[in-house]
Amino acid sequence: MEKLLLFLLVGFIVVLGGTQANEYLDFNVTEIDRIEELEFGFSKYSSNLNPLLVGLTLIRGADSGAVCLDGTLPGYHLHRGHGTGANSWLIQLEGGGWCNNVRTCVYRKKTRRGSSNYMEKQLQFTGILSDKAQENPDFFNWNRVKLRYCDGASFSGDGQNQAAQLQFRGERIWRAAIDDLKANGMRYANQALLSGCSAGGLAAILRCDEFRNLFPGSTKVKCLSDAGLFLDTADVSGGRTIRTLYNGVVEFQSVKNNLPRICTNHLDPTSCFFPQNLISQMKTPLFIVNAAYDTWQIQSSIAPTSADPSGFWHDCRLNHEKCTPSQMHFLQEFRDQMLRVVRGFSMSRQNGLFINSCFAHCQTERQDTWFADDSPVIRKKAVAIAVGDWYFDRAEVKLVDCPYPCDKSCHNLVFK
């Protein structure tokens, strides 16, 4: 990731054809920046005409050193539950990529991904965070929290770079936020769900068992990872773009000591930053929502410009309909790898799965992909219903789509 989060939105068009939606976006930013904006700013384009706005709370009582990259206080957005959900808590970990060296982290600390000075004072709560039963049938009346992401290492680093005035305190932010929320009533929870999107989805996996241990055994605790299944895979040149990125994050931000011991006791720290080496060993029930053709991974891991100097993948990277047969074969092999990764994980009855054959990234916070009249479905089941059925033990949920192009319910992302 050479450059992060400089967004200038210049156009947005949604084109519907039959039951399939292709969403065309045109940003004057790098291709990776496009995906970053989709992950975390897309809900502003939701069809919800009256979204809930929730204010930012800074964690002023944070324990020593729990700060963003630039030293400012971390924060979260909390909307209180009511009725039957008054003692139920949903914690959503924000995502937004990573920074792996001085240059990318210094750039990041001047954005909302590295400083609370630049964070929105209010955020829209849509999708899994919505307060409306017709938009979020199972979690609408829970206490719902969006923990802001301002460390650049999936809430896992603990170090600093004094020369560059950088603080790598993701692990301390996580602990400070949890302590603050417990003081605000979460310690009385009878139900809890830790979730996250993208880099936050990875964090939900990394922190899942620790989250379970915060509560007594009588509390129902599960975890949800949306678009967090980043694969340790080769790029189109045969290189290891994402492994190089993750190695930089783990080393530069001193992540090693905060990774799950069930992994680091037999694998190197960088391998333990990849979910595929964690999910089958976790004790806490986990649900994975992921697009089989994850657009972030296509653009920044599988076919980044650095691995495609000739530009052969340029059109395919932006629009799947322009992929050649050989390129589509490569992407089908990526899907096959994803399915192999989750095979053992899915054999456990306590775990859940929703792998749809869409070109998408992050589907739980967007209202149109979480729960709407034309939401993506697998076997007529939308993401919201699948997650709810799994969490409340109404059904065992192991939904895997047929390969592209069979699914006509997708909201595929296409870039100009």
Side-chain angles (χ1 to χ4, degrees), residues 35-52:
I35 300 297
E36 295 293 343
E37 181 67 8
L38 284 174
E39 294 171 11
F40 316 110
F42 201 98
S43 61
K44 70 182 75 170
Y45 306 112
S46 168
S47 59
N48 185 340
L49 298 178
N50 187 30
L52 173 68

Side-chain angles (χ1 to χ4, degrees), residues 79-140:
H79 190 253
R80 291 285 184 179
H82 58 87
T84 58
N87 288 321
S88 298
W89 287 75
L90 187 154
I91 311 300
Q92 178 81 357
L93 303 179
E94 186 178 36
W98 307 270
C99 64
N100 62 332
N101 53 39
V102 169
R103 181 169 56 84
T104 55
C105 289
V106 166
Y107 181 88
R108 187 183 182 95
K109 77 173 184 176
K110 298 184 183 300
T111 76
R112 68 189 189 278
R113 303 297 171 219
S115 170
S116 57
N117 287 339
Y118 299 95
M119 290 178 184
E120 303 89 335
K121 303 309 177 189
Q122 290 185 315
L123 277 187
Q124 293 185 8
F125 270 27
T126 59
I128 197 171
L129 295 175
S130 172
D131 65 335
K132 300 174 179 62
Q134 66 271 27
E135 297 176 349
N136 188 20
D138 284 310
F139 306 106
F140 73 96

Side-chain angles (χ1 to χ4, degrees), residues 25-307:
L25 296 108
D26 185 10
F27 296 94
N28 184 23
V29 290
T30 69
E31 292 166 11
I32 294 175
D33 289 337
R34 290 185 178 106
I35 300 297
E36 295 293 343
E37 181 67 8
L38 284 174
E39 294 171 11
F40 316 110
F42 201 98
S43 61
K44 70 182 75 170
Y45 306 112
S46 168
S47 59
N48 185 340
L49 298 178
N50 187 30
L52 173 68
L53 294 174
V54 180
L56 174 66
T57 298
L58 295 179
I59 308 173
R60 301 188 183 280
D63 69 338
S64 177
V67 293
C68 299
L69 282 172
D70 69 338
T72 55
L73 294 175
Y76 60 78
H77 303 254
L78 164 63
H79 190 253
R80 291 285 184 179
H82 58 87
T84 58
N87 288 321
S88 298
W89 287 75
L90 187 154
I91 311 300
Q92 178 81 357
L93 303 179
E94 186 178 36
W98 307 270
C99 64
N100 62 332
N101 53 39
V102 169
R103 181 169 56 84
T104 55
C105 289
V106 166
Y107 181 88
R108 187 183 182 95
K109 77 173 184 176
K110 298 184 183 300
T111 76
R112 68 189 189 278
R113 303 297 171 219
S115 170
S116 57
N117 287 339
Y118 299 95
M119 290 178 184
E120 303 89 335
K121 303 309 177 189
Q122 290 185 315
L123 277 187
Q124 293 185 8
F125 270 27
T126 59
I128 197 171
L129 295 175
S130 172
D131 65 335
K132 300 174 179 62
Q134 66 271 27
E135 297 176 349
N136 188 20
D138 284 310
F139 306 106
F140 73 96
N141 64 345
W142 283 33
N143 297 281
R144 299 168 327 285
V145 179
K146 178 88 172 262
L147 178 57
R148 300 307 296 267
Y149 179 41
C150 63
D151 65 278
S154 289
F155 299 94
S156 295
D158 193 15
Q160 62 181 328
N161 185 308
Q162 292 182 329
Q165 297 183 312
L166 290 167
Q167 295 291 324
F168 308 130
R169 304 302 184 185
E171 194 273 339
R172 298 189 191 195
I173 291 172
W174 158 260
R175 282 194 283 110
I178 291 299
D179 288 345
D180 202 65
L181 292 169
K182 287 174 69 177
N184 277 284
M186 193 175 72
R187 66 183 180 275
Y188 302 119
N190 52 37
Q191 299 182 118
L193 177 63
L194 177 66
S195 64
C197 154
S198 193
L202 167 59
I205 292 172
L206 293 170
R207 295 293 180 182
C208 183
D209 283 342
E210 180 183 340
F211 185 70
R212 159 69 273 183
N213 292 333
L214 295 172
F215 303 94
S218 59
T219 303
K220 186 185 190 77
V221 180
K222 297 187 178 183
C223 303
L224 165 64
S225 175
D226 177 15
L229 192 60
F230 297 97
L231 300 186
D232 187 3
T233 190
D235 60 41
V236 295
S237 72
R240 314 294 292 197
T241 296
I242 193 167
R243 173 164 274 272
T244 300
L245 168 65
Y246 275 11
N247 186 64
V249 174
V250 169
E251 294 294 329
F252 188 59
Q253 294 218 33
S254 302
V255 169
K256 177 181 178 180
N257 291 332
N258 298 317
L259 294 169
R261 298 291 187 270
I262 55 172
C263 182
T264 55
N265 63 13
H266 67 282
L267 290 176
D268 64 274
T270 299
S271 293
C272 295
F273 207 60
F274 282 99
Q276 65 198 66
N277 298 316
L278 300 168
I279 56 176
S280 294
Q281 304 175 67
M282 291 168 54
K283 298 177 181 179
T284 309
L286 173 67
F287 195 100
I288 291 175
V289 176
N290 228 96
Y293 312 98
D294 186 294
T295 47
W296 192 95
Q297 295 191 63
I298 290 173
Q299 291 205 5
S300 55
S301 171
I302 300 171
T305 53
S306 59

